[in-house]
Amino acid sequence: MQHDTYIRRCLDLAEKGSGYTAPNPLVGAVLVYDNRIIGEGYHAHYGERHAEVACFENVASSDKIFIPESTLYVSLEPCAHQGKTPPCADRIVQEGIKNVVVCQADPFAAVNGRGFEILRSNGVTVTENILAEEGRWQNRRFLCFHEKKRPYITLKWAETTQGFFAPLNRSRWQISNKQTQQLTHKWRTEESAIMVGTRTALHDNPQLNARYWNGKQPLRIVLDRALTLPESHHLLDGSIPTWIINERKEKVLDKTQYIQLSFDENLLTALLSLLYQKNILSLLVEGGAQLIQSLIDAALWDEARIFSAPSELQEGIVAPSLRQSIEIANHQIGNNSLNIFCHSQNSYNIPHSTRNKNK
């Protein structure tokens, strides 16, 4: 039970880095001596010190003498390679730690068991898989990226309780309320990229930024096959790094990059492959209905977040229809309902306690 308690604290600490560590994972660490936490740390920003190092450096001077006699708890296997920072496994050995308890292994090719190997070969006792399911859920973006070689894909849309996505004339129709708008902007700060299709970009003229929540702005992506977006639209304002996926040209204009891909049956696969090559860990897709349904039909999605609310709209564009989905959560936010689903084939992403709801 003590292992569970301290690993859960590691997971809580790791969450503080949400939205800032990609393409690195979320990691938290806790150092315990004689049932007392003497150090805590987490990976706060990509390129900065890792959780284990932060934990050691946060130990009070009066407690540093106890470090070799302490147990280190960490939510992910310590790294074993020289990246932007030195290997954490080496630092643990240097500190004289004899016991390490870990939530889960790291599938990244440069680690993938090597961190454990370094520790054990230096006499460190390693205990694995404590609350591993919770850890995999927290780092589902990182794990999907390395295990499936593509970004973690979250679909998000709003629909009326009658199942309509938008009016037939595609005029802008606000279904979400102020609270759900703010929540959506929070979600944007947690993902590496956000994408919409041509019609959504043309008719809604979205900014695709996080205006209502403090955090990192995601890369904006729009599919615009024939380059039909007018220069006056927000997506071409140069304010945020933006990819225009098209069939006509390759060009870079300040923060706007035109990327040429063939709009054939392999478009989505090619785009996801490109995102993987560019270290884009996760992708939030906010429209339109056709693009979202294409991803659903191709089984290229991991999570779906659907807002619904009563509306006077009597006819309209039918909302996307999920397949192979498991409902994992539902919430009422004002007059909006939020239902969250995971793809049933991506079962490693789903916490055990939520696997009892099927659709």
Side-chain angles (χ1 to χ4, degrees):
M1 288 302 295
Q2 278 192 329
H3 284 347
D4 286 7
T5 298
Y6 293 129
I7 286 295
R8 198 172 299 282
R9 177 56 183 166
C10 290
L11 295 172
D12 289 344
L13 289 167
E15 197 64 32
K16 294 176 180 289
S18 181
Y20 294 100
T21 64
N24 284 353
L26 299 170
V27 187
V30 171
L31 193 62
V32 179
Y33 171 74
D34 194 23
N35 295 320
R36 178 171 65 91
I37 293 176
I38 63 172
E40 292 186 335
Y42 65 97
H43 185 36
H45 290 87
Y46 173 67
E48 296 184 2
R49 62 183 185 174
H50 287 189
E52 299 92 327
V53 175
C55 181
F56 289 132
E57 293 180 352
N58 287 334
V59 175
S61 298
S62 59
D63 285 331
K64 288 190 181 297
I65 191 175
F66 302 125
I67 290 178
E69 301 174 55
S70 301
T71 297
L72 178 68
Y73 291 84
V74 61
S75 61
L76 191 70
E77 176 184 359
C79 66
H81 64 294
Q82 175 70 50
K84 289 185 176 293
T85 61
C88 290
D90 289 348
R91 175 65 182 271
I92 294 168
V93 172
Q94 291 167 11
E95 293 286 350
I97 297 292
K98 294 296 185 288
N99 291 286
V100 175
V101 180
V102 181
C103 177
Q104 61 175 327
D106 185 342
F108 180 40
V111 184
N112 198 20
R114 292 181 179 87
F116 293 147
E117 183 180 341
I118 290 173
L119 296 177
R120 287 178 171 133
S121 66
N122 283 277
V124 180
T125 299
V126 179
T127 303
E128 302 178 48
N129 298 319
I130 304 299
L131 299 182
E133 195 170 70
E134 286 85 345
R136 288 181 67 81
W137 174 253
Q138 182 179 72
N139 267 318
R140 59 197 183 277
R141 296 165 180 83
F142 179 77
L143 297 173
C144 176
F145 183 82
H146 289 287
E147 294 175 353
K148 298 181 181 297
K149 310 303 181 187
R150 65 160 174 80
Y152 184 87
I153 301 170
T154 300
L155 311 177
K156 175 265 171 183
W157 74 86
E159 63 182 42
T160 71
T161 50
Q162 294 91 347
F164 296 128
F165 186 84
L168 289 175
N169 64 4
R170 299 186 181 276
S171 60
R172 192 174 181 87
W173 186 268
Q174 192 68 48
I175 297 173
S176 55
N177 57 38
K178 288 184 178 180
Q179 296 99 317
T180 56
Q181 282 181 317
Q182 186 177 40
L183 180 58
T184 295
H185 284 233
K186 177 180 182 293
W187 290 343
R188 289 176 179 178
T189 67
E190 296 169 348
E191 310 301 343
S192 301
I194 180 171
M195 181 169 72
V196 295
T198 310
R199 288 177 177 173
T200 297
L202 276 173
H203 293 282
D204 291 356
N205 188 19
Q207 297 183 56
L208 297 189
N209 59 16
R211 303 182 300 282
Y212 306 138
W213 195 266
N214 291 327
K216 187 178 179 181
Q217 298 289 351
L219 168 70
R220 303 186 299 192
I221 302 173
V222 59
L223 303 182
D224 187 11
R225 181 176 189 171
L227 297 178
T228 55
L229 281 183
E231 292 184 3
S232 59
H233 268 40
H234 294 306
L235 289 175
L236 299 179
D237 62 14
S239 62
I240 298 172
T242 303
W243 286 4
I244 311 297
I245 309 299
N246 70 98
E247 277 192 330
R248 297 194 175 184
K249 69 178 181 181
E250 289 269 355
K251 191 174 182 179
V252 178
L253 294 173
D254 296 324
K255 295 181 180 180
T256 303
Q257 184 173 357
Y258 291 82
I259 298 175
Q260 194 170 8
L261 290 178
S262 177
F263 276 59
D264 56 18
E265 67 275 7
N266 297 315
L267 171 62
L268 294 176
T269 302
L271 176 57
L272 294 178
S273 177
L274 177 63
L275 290 169
Y276 176 75
Q277 294 170 28
K278 298 296 185 181
N279 264 344
I280 303 300
L281 209 66
S282 61
L283 176 66
L284 176 64
V285 183
E286 290 201 16
Q290 183 177 344
L291 173 59
I292 290 174
Q293 192 64 58
S294 296
L295 288 161
I296 293 171
D297 294 343
L300 291 173
W301 68 282
D302 300 286
E303 192 172 337
R305 302 169 182 177
I306 306 170
F307 291 114
S308 62
S311 170
E312 297 178 357
L313 195 65
Q314 297 302 311
E315 59 180 3
I317 298 169
V318 176
S321 177
L322 286 177
R323 300 175 182 176
Q324 296 181 299
S325 62
I326 297 175
E327 184 179 3
I328 64 168
N330 55 76
H331 308 280
Q332 192 68 34
I333 307 173
N335 67 336
N336 278 201
S337 296
L338 169 61
N339 294 82
I340 302 177
F341 301 87
C342 278
H343 196 288
S344 60
Q345 299 306 306
N346 297 340
S347 58
Y348 73 88
N349 286 335
I350 306 169
H352 181 76
S353 60
T354 62
R355 293 183 188 178
N356 58 341
K357 296 182 179 180
N358 293 280
K359 178 182 179 181

